[in-house]
Amino acid sequence: MESQNRLPRPIRPLKRPASYVSRALTAASYPLRGIYYFLRHPAYYPLFVGRLLPLSIISLLVYTILFTFAFLPQYAFLAIFHGWGAWINAVVLVLGEGLVIIQGLFEGFFVDECRVDVFDATLLDKGLDSLVAPHRLLFPDAPNSVKKLGKPTTSAVYQPWSLVQIVELIVFLPLNLIPYVGTPAFLIITGARLGTFAHYRWFELRGLNKKERKAEIRSRMWEYTWFGTIAMLLELVPILSFFFLLTSTTGAALWTAKLEQQAREPAVSAASAADAPLDSQEHDPDEPPPPYVDNPV
């Protein structure tokens, strides 16, 4: 409140909207930061090449079939209402249909273990071993964070398989039939659901129950909406969708590390303040003792 009063009066009404925009942009940046971070760490590459490259080839076949047989009929129908912009909506519609098929067949069953490894490895890179160690074996002498990862000792789920999410994708796909606003609305609505799973693994590592998880999600729902929107947009990219699943997971872990750092800073500051008076009373053992004063009073 004090900082707000320091602002010039004409600018004060803009403080709240500016805060919302800043929070949205920050959250939306993490899937993109995840791409940069993943590419800068070759130790992560085997997780993609060994496990998800075959699935990427299968997803290519799915999209090839859909674009061969489903794109033109849908484009012709949408062109009646959308005119020149029909191809954008038709492309997103077909990509959404492909995403439903891929998520239903592969993502929940074959990808989640790999995402857990990426998330945990990123936390190790950020010095959060104490968060991961209670839940899986770690090899501290390993040359990189991925090879440090041992077998999980508790349930290890990055994003639980959600029938509700798949049903929502199907239900909201027709939004792409609405000119101009339909496609952005589809991305934001489905992205909002996707974003709520961004920190499921973090909540699991902290041992939060269902009620506590819901409270955490509510407190950051605005941020999760925009994180999820960008992540959803990346997942719609054919062939690279599985790669972007991993990079968005990396971005979620980077966000987690930032939140953990912010949560721990007050505790560290409080501990330092508590230790300060004790430190000021200590004497260097090499210094001479204080002079003796005989004061009987």
Side-chain angles (χ1 to χ4, degrees):
M1 188 70 181
E2 205 172 305
S3 62
Q4 186 171 349
N5 291 335
R6 290 183 192 143
L7 293 172
R9 189 176 294 275
I11 299 178
R12 287 179 198 169
L14 300 177
K15 185 175 185 297
R16 188 179 179 87
S19 172
Y20 275 99
V21 171
S22 174
R23 287 160 51 200
L25 291 175
T26 300
S29 71
Y30 277 105
L32 305 178
R33 296 188 205 187
I35 298 172
Y36 179 75
Y37 190 90
F38 193 97
L39 293 175
R40 287 284 306 272
H41 290 75
Y44 292 8
Y45 295 177
L47 294 174
F48 173 71
V49 175
R51 303 186 194 182
L52 299 188
L53 189 58
L55 293 181
S56 297
I57 296 172
I58 294 174
S59 73
L60 172 62
L61 295 176
V62 170
Y63 282 117
T64 300
I65 293 170
L66 284 174
F67 273 96
T68 301
F69 297 103
F71 175 75
L72 285 178
Q74 293 178 104
Y75 171 74
F77 175 76
L78 291 172
I80 300 173
F81 307 99
H82 293 221
W84 65 270
W87 69 272
I88 299 175
N89 297 71
V91 166
V92 175
L93 191 59
V94 173
L95 291 175
E97 292 161 354
L99 185 62
V100 170
I101 295 171
I102 291 166
Q103 280 194 346
L105 293 178
F106 309 119
E107 189 173 310
F109 303 102
F110 300 105
V111 181
D112 200 72
E113 180 184 348
C114 188
R115 299 182 79 181
V116 168
D117 288 348
V118 169
F119 189 88
D120 289 358
T122 306
L123 294 185
L124 295 182
D125 282 338
K126 293 298 179 179
L128 294 173
D129 302 48
S130 60
L131 192 63
V132 179
H135 300 274
R136 70 186 304 164
L137 298 173
L138 296 179
F139 303 106
D141 297 328
N144 59 61
S145 59
V146 174
K147 292 187 177 179
K148 281 184 182 179
L149 298 174
K151 186 177 180 181
T153 54
T154 60
S155 172
V157 177
Y158 177 77
Q159 178 180 320
W161 191 82
S162 174
L163 179 61
V164 173
Q165 185 180 1
I166 294 175
V167 170
E168 283 186 354
L169 278 172
I170 297 171
V171 169
F172 290 118
L173 267 176
L175 283 174
N176 290 283
L177 301 175
I178 302 174
Y180 307 115
V181 299
T183 296
F186 169 75
L187 291 172
I188 293 171
I189 292 171
T190 54
R193 162 71 66 172
L194 181 65
T196 60
F197 292 109
H199 286 150
Y200 185 90
R201 174 62 176 166
W202 181 37
F203 301 154
E204 197 175 52
L205 293 175
R206 291 163 58 197
L208 302 187
N209 58 37
K210 189 174 182 179
K211 183 178 179 180
E212 291 168 333
R213 288 200 303 267
K214 285 184 176 180
E216 290 265 351
I217 290 170
R218 279 196 301 269
S219 70
R220 297 189 198 90
M221 193 63 220
W222 176 250
E223 287 86 347
Y224 286 140
T225 296
W226 295 104
F227 178 95
T229 298
I230 300 301
M232 172 62 71
L233 188 61
L234 293 172
E235 282 190 33
L236 290 174
V237 178
I239 308 174
L240 294 176
S241 59
F242 284 113
F243 171 73
F244 287 135
L245 274 177
L246 295 190
T247 58
S248 294
T249 302
T250 306
L254 294 173
W255 188 8
T256 296
K258 183 66 174 177
L259 293 173
E260 279 286 332
Q261 179 187 358
Q262 291 172 349
R264 296 180 184 199
E265 277 176 357
V268 172
S269 300
S272 300
D275 291 342
L278 296 176
D279 293 340
S280 63
Q281 294 173 6
E282 292 177 359
H283 296 282
D284 190 332
D286 295 330
E287 291 181 359
Y292 173 74
V293 177
D294 185 6
N295 186 2
V297 179

